[in-house]
Amino acid sequence: MKCLLLIASVVVAVAAHGGHDHSHSHNQSEKSDQLRAIVKLEEPNGGKVRGNVTFVQDANGKVHIQGVIVGMPEGEYGFHIYEKGDVTGGCGSNGGHFNPDNKEHGHPHDEERHAGDLGNVVFNKDQVANVDFWDHVIKLSGPYSIVGRAIVLHSMADDYGKTEHPDSKTTGNAGDHVACGVIGYW
Ligand code: ZN
C-alpha cells in the first residue's frame, strides 16, 4: 500500500511538470504574432471534390487564406464559413452562415456581410482552384473566430446578396453544400 501511494505521487509530479511545459510553448507561439488554422475539405460519400486550406492571422488581425481545392468543373462557387462545426449529417448540418453581427449576406468587401462570407472560389479548366486571398473580418480567436466552425464549398456561385432571388440576402443563392470541413488550429 505504501508503494502504491509512492507511485501515485510520482505520476502527479510528472503530470504537473507536463502542464508547465504546455504553458511555456503557448507563450512562445504568442511571440510569433501569428495564429494559424487549417481545414481539410471533403465531399461526403467519397466524392472527388477535396482540398486543404490554411488560415494565417497577421499581427494586424488580417487573415491570409491559402490552399488548393480540386474536383469542380470550371467556374465560380460560393465559399462560406458556417456557424457550427457539425458535419455529422454530411455538409448540410452546419446552421447558417457565421453571422455574429446579425447582418445580411454580402460580398466580402461589403460593410453589410456575414462574417462567414468569403465570396467565391474560381476553378480553372483543370478543375483546380488555387485559393489565395485576405480577409479582414474573420479571425482565429475571439468573437469572430472561425476555429471549430465548418467551411462549405457550394454547387453554385455566390450572388453576393445582389439579386432578387429570395435566398440572395441570406445565402447568396449558392446552391447545395458540395464539400466541407471543420476548421482547427494548426
Ligand atoms: Zn452569408
Side-chain angles (χ1 to χ4, degrees), residues 51 53 70 74 165:
V53 176
V70 300
E74 186 174 13
H165 191 280

Side-chain angles (χ1 to χ4, degrees), residues 80-81 97-98 104-106 113-117 158 169-172:
H80 305 130
I81 311 286
H97 293 183
F98 177 42
E104 290 189 332
H105 180 80
R113 61 167 268 194
H114 301 140
D117 292 347
D158 182 344
K169 290 279 194 285
T170 53
T171 66

Side-chain angles (χ1 to χ4, degrees), residues 55-124:
F55 305 83
V56 178
Q57 183 172 316
D58 72 9
N60 298 318
K62 285 182 72 178
V63 173
H64 193 189
I65 299 112
Q66 284 184 294
V68 177
I69 311 171
V70 300
M72 294 289 279
E74 186 174 13
E76 294 187 16
Y77 302 96
F79 194 53
H80 305 130
I81 311 286
Y82 275 71
E83 183 185 1
K84 296 171 183 170
D86 180 4
V87 293
T88 55
C91 289
S93 53
N94 337 99
H97 293 183
F98 177 42
N99 186 20
D101 292 329
N102 198 26
K103 291 188 171 182
E104 290 189 332
H105 180 80
H107 185 279
H109 296 167
D110 290 344
E111 186 65 31
E112 187 72 22
R113 61 167 268 194
H114 301 140
D117 292 347
L118 299 184
N120 288 304
V121 292
V122 181
F123 282 75
N124 64 24

